[in-house]
Amino acid sequence: MGIGTVLLEHNLITQEQLDQALDEQSRSGDRLDRVLMRMGLVDRQQVLHAVGKQLRLEVIDLADVIVDREVLESLPAKLIFRHRCVPIARVADTLTVATSDPFQLVVHDELSMHSGCSIELVLADEDDLHTFIRTHYGVAGDTLDAMADGLEDVIAAEHVESEIDQAEEASVIRLVNDILGEALAVRATDIHIEPYENELVVRYRIDGVLQRANLPSTVHRFGAAIVSRLKIMSSLNIAEKRKPQDGRITFRHRSPDRGVEEFDLRVSVIPMLYGEGLVLRILNKSAVQMSLHDLGMPGRVSGPWESLIRRPHGILLVTGPTGSGKSTTLYASLNGIVSDEIKAITVEDPVEYNVAGVNQIQVNHKVGLDFAAGLRAILRHDPDVIMIGEIRDKETAETAVQASLTGHLVFSTLHTNDAAGAVGRLLDMGVEPFLVASTVEAVLAQRLVRKLCTECRRPIGHAELDLPDGCGLDPDAALYRAAGCKACRKSGFSGRVGIYELLILSDTTRELVMARQSGPQIATAATQEGKLTTLREDAFEKVRQGITSLEEALRAVAT
């Protein structure tokens, strides 16, 4: 009996829905239950419990299971990875194996043959199985075992030709794909590959925090192969090991729930003491479709900002550290105003996302096309809105000022700690105070904080917290703290949201800019006029709403 018949018998789907799913399955080649879930007709737990009831199999939660090492080693790792099933208990000659697909009878026989035991099946969630395998056997453990058997001689090769051959081996390709696929599965934004004397460390940045990937220790023997493969995928020079290189990868990944997705990966290679280190930035194409509301921008910031981005001219700056979401905010702002009546041109280094209706220019230093040169050129294309990826020097800053003075709306970013500091940064670059005062309309500073997992966050009393002075938190309001569950992979957090600080320049603050007053003096004057909403205010407001924890807010806005 197949999964479709089981779901029909339990009245979870209709015959018409099953026929539709079978048609889709014939096109995609995916498992029927995954097709049904992707179509939104059933959820994973419904499928699991229906199958368990039909086949009289126990449904277990692998998150609560503790397994002895001897039991884990009772089956070869290659079988575990190939069939997505794990041994969890052994009593005499009976081995209990958890699986999410009990219909593969051939697999049942193969497991019995390799273990020498009779097999007793139990059902477990597919995602839980993947997590369990990754935790106990490591990412790509089967691939590394196979490579260790056959590629030791190749790993020692020093010639470029041998490295290319090695990088194009099917096992190396599979290893790199496993590392990239795991990063996408855990919602990583960056992959860090770091060579040391006796190990290769792979870390994923998840919700802004680096976490070490659970790779077997033997991966360090294949560091050169991994780097070479990623260089080939990025169209970089595999023979050049002395200079930094930058490239880009388009990677297609099949997800059980969402089908095949395409991701852009920005690759940076730097020579280090024990080899070449790589960082891959994973660009989520859905980010370019976000609105300002999706970013978590509060009403007292989003209202004025939406008015500012519709002005005919002036400079609007977004500031914050690297990885704080500045580019995403600029893309969301552009999405809010671009239309057939408005021509928008960007100069970026690099172009991270393709935005419909926007003309985008890639900086190319090799031919002299930097931010300033690109900005000068696009002024002759009669744009209404200009976005400069970053103001880095006096020349770019002065060209942006001139573009604003000639009737263009200019978006750009700066690296400063707060909104008021952006004004001082432009002055330090050498821009005249009267030009800064007459062109800069507003500065938006931002950070990213992790969102509490709504499945497991727990309320806490204020007595358990050391509330900072001036936080404005109501002593009677419920606050929340991270706990950790299966849904958030025990971290207590799921996703990130922005916190924002908006400084709108007024006549008073412009006079202070003309007088070259400091950032704190400008911030104080703007606060008194009601022209500044601070990062702390927004951070504590999100704590009050239960979106994030007090500890996370303080980490982001600590002064």
Side-chain angles (χ1 to χ4, degrees):
M1 181 180 292
I3 185 66
T5 307
V6 172
L7 296 177
L8 270 178
E9 288 200 359
H10 286 78
N11 297 317
L12 293 174
I13 59 172
T14 65
Q15 183 63 51
E16 181 183 359
Q17 290 172 333
L18 177 59
D19 292 340
Q20 292 174 353
L22 289 170
D23 288 341
E24 173 62 26
Q25 183 191 31
S26 65
R27 289 190 292 270
S28 67
D30 210 346
R31 261 173 42 182
L32 182 60
D33 56 335
R34 292 175 180 168
V35 173
L36 288 163
M37 286 186 283
R38 197 159 58 239
M39 294 171 67
L41 300 176
V42 292
D43 62 41
R44 186 176 282 113
Q45 289 303 312
Q46 287 177 318
V47 174
L48 201 63
H49 286 280
V51 172
K53 188 175 181 180
Q54 185 72 33
L55 302 182
R56 295 184 176 86
L57 296 177
E58 181 186 359
V59 178
I60 65 167
D61 186 349
L62 280 176
D64 300 327
V65 174
I66 299 175
V67 185
D68 292 337
R69 172 54 58 182
E70 289 184 4
V71 174
L72 293 172
E73 293 174 352
S74 59
L75 289 173
K78 61 182 180 181
L79 285 184
I80 303 297
F81 282 89
R82 185 193 308 156
H83 300 309
R84 296 294 177 190
C85 57
V86 293
I88 60 170
R90 181 171 180 170
V91 178
D93 292 332
T94 300
L95 184 67
T96 303
V97 176
T99 180
S100 63
D101 185 6
F103 297 99
Q104 299 292 331
L105 298 180
V106 176
V107 174
H108 187 281
D109 295 337
E110 188 176 2
L111 297 179
S112 180
M113 181 185 69
H114 277 86
S115 64
C117 299
S118 60
I119 303 298
E120 180 179 307
L121 294 180
V122 294
L123 288 180
D125 179 79
E126 187 175 16
D127 281 354
D128 290 352
L129 276 169
H130 179 75
T131 302
F132 187 93
I133 293 171
R134 187 181 70 248
T135 302
H136 292 88
Y137 296 91
V139 177
D142 58 334
T143 305
L144 285 166
D145 285 348
M147 291 172 67
D149 291 339
L151 289 181
E152 289 194 7
D153 294 337
V154 182
I155 293 301
E158 297 181 356
H159 299 295
V160 172
E161 293 79 5
S162 299
E163 290 185 9
I164 294 175
D165 292 342
Q166 176 191 346
E168 292 180 342
E169 288 279 350
S171 53
V172 176
I173 294 173
R174 189 164 61 250
L175 171 61
V176 171
N177 287 347
D178 285 343
I179 293 172
L180 298 182
E182 178 66 15
L184 299 175
V186 298
R187 300 179 296 101
T189 55
D190 301 89
I191 305 171
H192 294 245
I193 300 175
E194 304 161 341
Y196 296 96
E197 184 174 9
N198 296 312
E199 65 175 339
L200 182 76
V201 174
V202 178
R203 296 191 288 172
Y204 301 140
R205 189 178 294 279
I206 305 170
D207 292 336
V209 178
L210 279 171
Q211 299 179 22
R212 192 158 177 164
N214 186 23
L215 282 161
S217 59
T218 52
V219 72
H220 80 274
R221 298 160 63 188
F222 308 97
I226 293 170
V227 171
S228 297
R229 174 60 191 164
L230 288 169
K231 279 186 172 183
I232 290 172
M233 295 172 70
S234 313
S235 300
L236 299 179
N237 183 356
I238 195 172
E240 180 55 74
K241 301 179 183 294
R242 302 164 300 170
K243 296 180 181 179
Q245 297 186 70
D246 294 305
R248 200 176 190 121
I249 297 172
T250 298
F251 184 70
R252 292 171 63 84
H253 174 66
R254 179 181 290 276
S255 150
D257 297 328
R258 297 183 299 273
V260 178
E261 295 180 297
E262 194 171 275
F263 295 84
D264 283 337
L265 282 68
R266 206 170 75 201
V267 183
S268 175
V269 185
I270 298 179
M272 294 183 177
L273 185 60
Y274 294 105
E276 291 176 287
L278 281 83
V279 173
L280 295 87
R281 169 72 59 88
I282 301 172
L283 303 177
N284 184 356
K285 291 187 175 182
S286 64
V288 77
Q289 301 169 348
M290 285 185 173
S291 67
L292 295 174
H293 175 74
D294 296 330
L295 302 179
M297 196 175 284
R300 64 177 182 274
V301 173
S302 63
W305 184 253
E306 287 182 354
S307 176
L308 288 163
I309 63 178
R310 286 172 171 78
R311 292 196 175 186
H313 57 78
I315 297 177
L316 300 177
L317 298 173
V318 180
T319 74
T322 300
S324 61
K326 299 187 297 296
S327 296
T328 301
T329 297
L330 287 179
Y331 285 128
S333 301
L334 283 175
N335 277 331
I337 61 173
V338 168
S339 66
D340 290 339
E341 291 77 32
I342 292 177
K343 176 159 185 172
I345 305 182
T346 72
V347 187
E348 304 171 63
D349 183 20
V351 174
E352 293 189 346
Y353 303 101
N354 297 323
V355 185
V358 177
N359 300 272
Q360 296 173 270
I361 299 173
Q362 168 76 53
V363 165
N364 187 345
H365 295 286
K366 292 180 180 178
V367 297
L369 180 58
D370 55 15
F371 282 120
L375 184 52
R376 286 194 302 269
I378 64 179
L379 288 175
R380 296 190 286 273
H381 278 241
D382 188 29
D384 300 293
V385 178
I386 299 168
M387 187 184 101
I388 310 168
E390 182 184 347
I391 294 178
R392 297 177 179 173
D393 51 43
K394 179 181 179 181
E395 185 180 10
T396 305
E398 288 182 337
T399 309
V401 166
Q402 294 302 319
S404 170
L405 291 173
T406 53
H408 302 87
L409 181 64
V410 180
F411 292 100
S412 191
T413 68
L414 274 176
H415 287 281
T416 61
N417 290 327
D418 55 23
V423 173
R425 181 82 180 95
L426 291 175
L427 297 177
D428 290 342
M429 286 182 183
V431 183
E432 293 295 335
F434 74 92
L435 291 175
V436 175
S438 59
T439 56
V440 177
E441 299 291 339
V443 184
L444 182 73
Q446 67 180 78
R447 301 287 190 278
L448 291 177
V449 294
R450 292 181 292 171
K451 294 194 296 183
L452 286 167
C453 173
T454 55
E455 299 288 330
C456 66
R457 65 178 187 177
R458 65 177 183 89
I460 55 173
H462 285 216
E464 299 181 54
L465 296 170
D466 184 14
L467 296 179
D469 295 335
C471 66
L473 295 173
D474 184 355
D476 298 324
L479 301 182
Y480 294 89
R481 174 171 284 171
C485 67
K486 182 169 63 177
C488 61
R489 301 176 185 269
K490 303 296 183 181
S491 69
F493 297 92
S494 179
R496 288 188 291 175
V497 66
I499 56 174
Y500 298 91
E501 174 176 285
L502 179 61
L503 168 66
I504 301 175
L505 270 69
S506 64
D507 291 341
T508 302
T509 48
R510 293 182 198 281
E511 289 177 3
L512 294 176
V513 173
M514 293 280 289
R516 290 183 176 271
Q517 296 299 308
S518 66
Q521 289 174 307
I522 293 173
T524 300
T527 302
Q528 292 171 350
E529 289 187 303
K531 297 291 186 180
L532 175 65
T533 58
T534 68
L535 287 169
R536 288 176 64 86
E537 291 171 0
D538 192 20
F540 291 134
E541 177 60 29
K542 286 183 168 62
V543 173
R544 191 178 299 110
Q545 295 171 1
I547 296 173
T548 191
S549 67
L550 179 62
E551 296 86 353
E552 183 70 8
L554 292 174
R555 182 185 67 85
V557 299
T559 57

